[in-house]
Amino acid sequence: MASLGHDVVGIDRDSERIASLAAGRAPFFEPGLDRLLAEQLASDRLRFSADMSDAASAEVHFLAVGTPQGPGGAADLSHLESALDALRPALASGALVVGKSTVPVGTAARLAEIVAARGARLAWNPEFLREGHAIDDTLRPDRIVYGVVGEADAAVLDAVYAGVLSHGMPRIVTDLATAELVKTAANAFLATKISFINAMAEVAEASGADVARLAEAIGHDPRIGHRFLGAGVGFGGGCLPKDIRAFQARADELGVGEALAFLGEVDRINQRRRDRVVTLAAELLGGDVAGRRIAVLGLAFKPDSDDVRDSPALDIAVRLHAAGAHVRATDPHAIPAARRVQPELDYRDTLDEALSRAELVLLLTEWREYRLLDPAATRIRVSGLRLIDGRNALDAEAWRAAGWDYRALGRAFASRGIAAPAAVGALDV
Ligand code: UGA
């Protein structure tokens, strides 16, 4: 917002976070963010505060707090509610409060009444950014959606987003409920697409087919498309898993639970991929992982992020550790975050240390440096030439040619020791 020319104050009740931001350090890893932060702090358009009264002069207030998973899968709205409670006394009459958080449909209408009691108004403006691409997705989104109660509020948002809208992306103006639903529907669709291809991976494994080749072929149909057809250990993170659960919980409340029952299956397919890696690891090590040395490459839920919330990689590492394996786990950025939630794992800062004398290597987050691993050079660091490519990120043929027992999810050829088909073009996810 500051880079778009607005005067911005960022407020959080966590004063450590505020101090870090004010010093130009983002509290998490996101490519390009530290630099943008430094530029905008230097411009004097951006400051941070733990004191909500600093928001009093603002014309537009964005609510961007998290809505984590609560009991029974429903969204926990307590952060959102307490942020709005704290903001209320600072709200000037005529101000616009804009919700960004992902919420159960119907939340905005309820919050609009609270805001109206102060003579202010509420709009809902869902966020579609992906971690690892946050800056680009924010400054050049593929669409902008406003849920508003009146045209005047759309005009305020147009002024806020003028610098973004000038790129010409679609702008959809709708009611509050539809705007809330657009976000949950989009994430549910993406999760379903990933679980669809992972379901095909299960069938491919059972039938001797190759899911990567299948994804390439069906993706050429423009109605299907290649993106989000990457089979592997499945989706994680702070959004897709909890959003599909919260969506089902809300549908149940609305009496239409049956309509979203399939999302339960989407979730189960996703969890089964993690089970499959744990079983395959045992299979490759002769039936039991106890006492065996396993290198886990990747802990973040996806590359270019240090987020380990519901990360398939961390989950698999923890399960193998619990089964008695000597797991050495590494990640270019996510070790501190992983250590905070799973202190018992053996973390190694370098790839060399993690690989050293491993009997089995698991690639679980497709960081660029892991995709570029050289099979011959990796050979001499380990003590067993076994590899599970949990992201279908490596060139199967090259690894097999270098003598590795290469396995990948949904690619039966990799288990039968036959040559891999010609390289599949990298899927753009
Ligand atoms: C997701 C959505 O993509 C964003 O549009 C949305 O704004 C965001 O949630 C949110 O609700 O805030 P994000 O969680 O950053 O973004 O990550 P994704 O790129 O969607 O990836 C989610 C997971 O799916 C990752 O674990 C990734 O490894 C996995 N994935 C992705 C696959 O397993 N296969 C694929 O083909 C693509």
Side-chain angles (χ1 to χ4, degrees), residues 18-29:
I18 291 301
S20 153
L21 285 161
R25 280 189 316 273
F28 46 79
F29 173 70

Side-chain angles (χ1 to χ4, degrees), residues 102 127-131 183 187 190 194 198 227-240 243 301-303 312 366 391 429:
T102 303
E127 180 53 59
F128 305 109
L129 73 83
R130 297 158 300 163
E131 291 182 27
K183 173 60 191 262
N187 276 4
L190 294 171
I194 298 167
N198 281 332
R227 301 180 76 182
F228 274 64
L229 279 187
V233 291
F235 58 81
C239 302
L240 264 43
D243 285 353
F301 83 105
K302 65 187 275 192
E366 70 279 31
R391 292 290 184 179
V429 294

Side-chain angles (χ1 to χ4, degrees), residues 196-259:
F196 176 84
I197 202 64
N198 281 332
M200 294 306 109
E202 289 188 40
V203 178
E205 274 161 30
S207 60
D210 176 352
V211 75
R213 207 66 175 165
L214 178 143
E216 186 198 13
I218 63 173
H220 283 302
D221 182 333
R223 294 169 302 174
I224 297 175
H226 283 117
R227 301 180 76 182
F228 274 64
L229 279 187
V233 291
F235 58 81
C239 302
L240 264 43
K242 62 104 178 159
D243 285 353
I244 59 170
R245 293 170 199 147
F247 201 12
Q248 288 172 86
R250 183 62 182 140
D252 280 343
E253 286 170 6
L254 292 168
V256 288
E258 230 174 298

Side-chain angles (χ1 to χ4, degrees), residues 5-323:
H6 302 299
D7 280 325
V8 179
V9 56
I11 301 205
D12 198 294
R13 66 178 176 191
D14 178 343
S15 44
E16 239 173 74
R17 177 170 289 231
I18 291 301
S20 153
L21 285 161
R25 280 189 316 273
F28 46 79
F29 173 70
E30 177 64 39
L33 189 54
D34 278 338
R35 200 176 51 158
L36 188 61
L37 193 54
E39 275 168 22
Q40 297 311 316
L41 283 168
S43 77
D44 275 346
R45 281 190 300 269
L46 177 62
R47 67 203 165 87
F48 294 95
S49 166
D51 180 355
M52 196 62 98
S53 65
D54 283 330
S57 60
E59 297 157 85
V60 182
H61 303 268
F62 281 97
L63 289 174
V65 293
T67 50
Q69 186 172 319
D76 170 2
L77 299 179
S78 57
H79 302 301
L80 188 61
E81 274 153 11
S82 63
L84 187 58
D85 261 1
L87 172 64
R88 224 161 20 160
L91 266 184
S93 173
L96 184 65
V97 177
V98 185
K100 277 252 161 229
S101 312
T102 303
V103 290
V105 57
T107 306
R110 186 163 57 77
L111 302 186
E113 285 177 25
I114 299 174
V115 164
R118 296 281 310 176
R121 298 182 316 276
L122 183 114
W124 216 258
N125 169 221
E127 180 53 59
F128 305 109
L129 73 83
R130 297 158 300 163
E131 291 182 27
H133 303 268
I135 294 174
D136 235 31
D137 284 356
T138 303
L139 297 178
R140 287 172 187 265
D142 46 23
R143 78 284 207 193
I144 286 195
V145 177
Y146 311 151
V148 290
V149 213
E151 266 305 312
D153 300 340
V156 172
L157 285 168
D158 279 347
V160 168
Y161 285 118
V164 175
L165 288 165
S166 62
H167 296 298
M169 74 278 304
R171 160 188 168 283
I172 292 125
V173 181
T174 181
D175 54 86
L176 295 176
T178 306
E180 291 168 305
L181 261 184
V182 165
K183 173 60 191 262
T184 28
N187 276 4
F189 190 88
L190 294 171
T192 304
K193 198 168 178 191
I194 298 167
S195 276
F196 176 84
I197 202 64
N198 281 332
M200 294 306 109
E202 289 188 40
V203 178
E205 274 161 30
S207 60
D210 176 352
V211 75
R213 207 66 175 165
L214 178 143
E216 186 198 13
I218 63 173
H220 283 302
D221 182 333
R223 294 169 302 174
I224 297 175
H226 283 117
R227 301 180 76 182
F228 274 64
L229 279 187
V233 291
F235 58 81
C239 302
L240 264 43
K242 62 104 178 159
D243 285 353
I244 59 170
R245 293 170 199 147
F247 201 12
Q248 288 172 86
R250 183 62 182 140
D252 280 343
E253 286 170 6
L254 292 168
V256 288
E258 230 174 298
L260 297 190
F262 72 95
L263 288 179
E265 203 49 50
V266 165
D267 207 354
R268 283 187 286 279
I269 293 167
N270 196 49
Q271 296 299 324
R272 278 207 297 275
R273 293 288 77 192
R274 303 177 186 191
D275 302 341
R276 175 71 189 130
V277 175
V278 173
T279 317
L280 189 56
E283 248 170 70
L284 279 174
L285 292 170
D288 194 358
V289 298
R292 310 298 292 273
R293 290 186 301 275
I294 300 180
V296 167
L297 312 188
L299 292 161
F301 83 105
K302 65 187 275 192
D304 295 322
S305 166
D306 63 355
D307 194 344
V308 296
R309 286 176 294 170
D310 210 336
S311 164
L314 183 57
D315 187 18
I316 291 166
V318 167
R319 287 205 222 173
L320 291 169
H321 170 78

Side-chain angles (χ1 to χ4, degrees), residues 396-397 400-401 404-408 411-420:
E397 179 73 345
R400 291 189 55 78
W404 287 79
D405 185 356
Y406 170 93
R407 307 295 177 104
R411 306 183 76 182
F413 72 85
S415 321
R416 294 197 313 266
I418 61 166

